[in-house]
Amino acid sequence: ATKEGEAEQLVKDAIDIGYRHIEPSAMVYQNDKEVGAGIRAKLLMALLENVNIFLTTKLWCTFHRREKVVEACKQSLSTLGFDYLDLYLIHWPCAFKEGDDAWPKDSDGKVITMNVDYVETWKGMEDCFKLGLVKSIGISNFNSQQIERVLQAATIKPAVNQIECHPYLNQSKLIAFCKERGIVITAYSPLGSPNAIAKETTPAPLQDPKLQQLAKKYKKSVAQIILRYLIQHGTVPIPKSSSKKRLQENFDIFNFEISKEDMNTIDALNKNIRICPFSDAKGDINYPFDLEY
């Protein structure tokens, strides 16, 4: 998520730096229009005529019935201003009450869910693929049991599972599980989301003393160490930044390699701490499902 009016310029800056995967963009973030405008503006430039941008967005929880999935996908495409998506993901494996409110709540402030099986939702994702609206489809925040259920019913295998992943939640079991099944892991909140969803009391990977020591050793920033660590574990980290300087810094991670010993040191930092407890701007809500492996 970004502040209003910020996303378009961030996208332009990112493309100038060399980023080609623009993600995440999702209905609930309400920045699709700006993201699409930023991409289109850069694609119109002569220097980028032959450059492909990999565009991803997600299906929100209020569109989980099979017949609503295609509708939601077309709505996102219209807002973005594109004819198709490179990747479309189910944002969470749970359904909310349908309607205009992205976070429908009851009188007690709890999110109102719907009894829609995410396997049914996956069939709607396959419909999007068959209609040519998307080039590939995937999932987000799914655990191993949920993935198995999707695989058993799927005619098209999920290409990606996007999950929270950082040194304090290294997801080693789920990464191995997905790798065995040919599912790519996208790692969101790789730096701990210090300016987004993290609370003041949440342990911050960027402040970890051992990571700071490694940063000095490799003459890199802590953020660069974390991103390189995740890449060497075979994931695709997607850091978010509102600073062009940090965008550049986050991109400068392909000119060094972390040793096996130091990778083990970072592995040992795992605390199974989840920074994204499925919350909205008004506060945490209860998980309607188990997020563990």
Side-chain angles (χ1 to χ4, degrees):
T2 56
K3 297 178 182 178
E4 185 176 355
E6 181 181 69
E8 182 175 345
Q9 187 57 49
L10 282 174
V11 168
K12 291 178 181 178
D13 291 342
I15 294 174
D16 284 341
I17 290 167
Y19 288 89
R20 294 296 178 262
H21 178 191
I22 307 299
E23 215 283 292
S25 169
M27 297 177 74
V28 72
Y29 302 148
Q30 298 182 342
N31 62 4
D32 281 9
K33 186 175 182 179
E34 290 185 48
V35 169
I39 296 172
R40 291 195 307 276
K42 300 307 293 187
L43 289 176
L44 287 173
M45 295 175 61
L47 291 176
L48 286 175
E49 283 183 350
N50 297 317
V51 173
N52 292 320
I53 301 296
F54 191 93
L55 180 60
T56 299
T57 195
K58 301 189 187 80
L59 173 79
W60 185 238
C61 305
T62 52
F63 293 88
H64 268 223
R65 283 191 299 120
R66 180 173 182 174
E67 53 266 38
K68 299 290 287 186
V69 178
V70 170
E71 173 190 330
C73 184
K74 288 181 177 179
Q75 182 178 329
S76 289
L77 285 170
S78 176
T79 304
L80 284 161
F82 285 88
D83 296 327
Y84 68 88
L85 296 166
D86 293 288
L87 177 63
Y88 196 39
L89 306 174
I90 299 177
H91 205 143
W92 292 90
C94 62
F96 292 175
K97 177 185 176 182
E98 293 175 359
D100 296 332
D101 190 352
W103 297 91
K105 294 183 179 181
D106 61 21
S107 57
D108 294 324
K110 293 183 178 180
V111 169
I112 303 172
T113 59
M114 281 183 66
N115 186 24
V116 180
D117 193 332
Y118 50 80
V119 171
E120 176 185 339
T121 310
W122 183 254
K123 293 297 182 182
M125 300 291 281
E126 292 181 333
D127 293 338
C128 292
F129 177 86
K130 293 171 184 176
L131 288 170
L133 300 175
V134 298
K135 286 189 173 182
S136 55
I137 50 178
I139 50 183
S140 181
N141 299 299
F142 277 57
N143 64 29
S144 58
Q145 293 180 342
Q146 293 161 340
I147 294 170
E148 282 287 16
R149 288 196 66 235
V150 170
L151 290 174
Q152 289 173 8
T155 58
I156 303 170
K157 183 178 71 175
V160 168
N161 185 23
Q162 184 181 122
I163 56 175
E164 179 182 340
C165 189
H166 46 77
Y168 286 174
L169 183 71
N170 66 28
Q171 300 275 24
S172 58
K173 291 183 179 179
L174 189 52
I175 290 173
F177 176 89
C178 289
K179 184 177 181 180
E180 289 174 357
R181 289 154 181 80
I183 299 173
V184 175
I185 290 289
T186 303
Y188 74 77
S189 296
L191 306 179
S193 295
N195 299 314
I197 57 177
K199 300 178 180 178
E200 291 184 3
T201 56
T202 304
L206 288 173
Q207 304 302 320
D208 188 275
K210 290 186 178 179
L211 290 174
Q212 291 178 342
Q213 289 174 8
L214 289 174
K216 291 180 181 178
K217 175 181 177 179
Y218 288 92
K219 298 181 180 179
K220 290 288 185 178
S221 69
V222 176
Q224 288 170 326
I225 293 295
I226 292 174
L227 295 174
R228 183 68 200 181
Y229 164 77
L230 292 172
I231 285 175
Q232 287 184 212
H233 265 316
T235 74
V236 181
I238 48 171
K240 179 263 178 185
S241 177
S242 58
S243 162
K244 187 174 182 178
K245 180 180 178 181
R246 286 194 292 272
L247 283 173
Q248 181 66 63
E249 179 183 294
N250 292 342
F251 193 77
D252 187 25
I253 56 174
F254 300 102
N255 54 6
F256 78 108
E257 185 171 337
I258 301 173
S259 70
K260 183 177 181 181
E261 180 182 1
D262 289 336
M263 288 289 290
N264 291 338
T265 296
I266 303 175
D267 284 339
L269 298 177
N270 183 56
K271 305 176 187 295
N272 288 321
I273 290 175
R274 192 173 296 281
I275 293 170
C276 178
F278 200 34
S279 63
D280 67 357
K282 299 179 182 178
D284 296 345
I285 60 175
N286 295 326
Y287 284 112
F289 50 87
D290 180 12
L291 272 175
E292 299 305 317
Y293 167 77

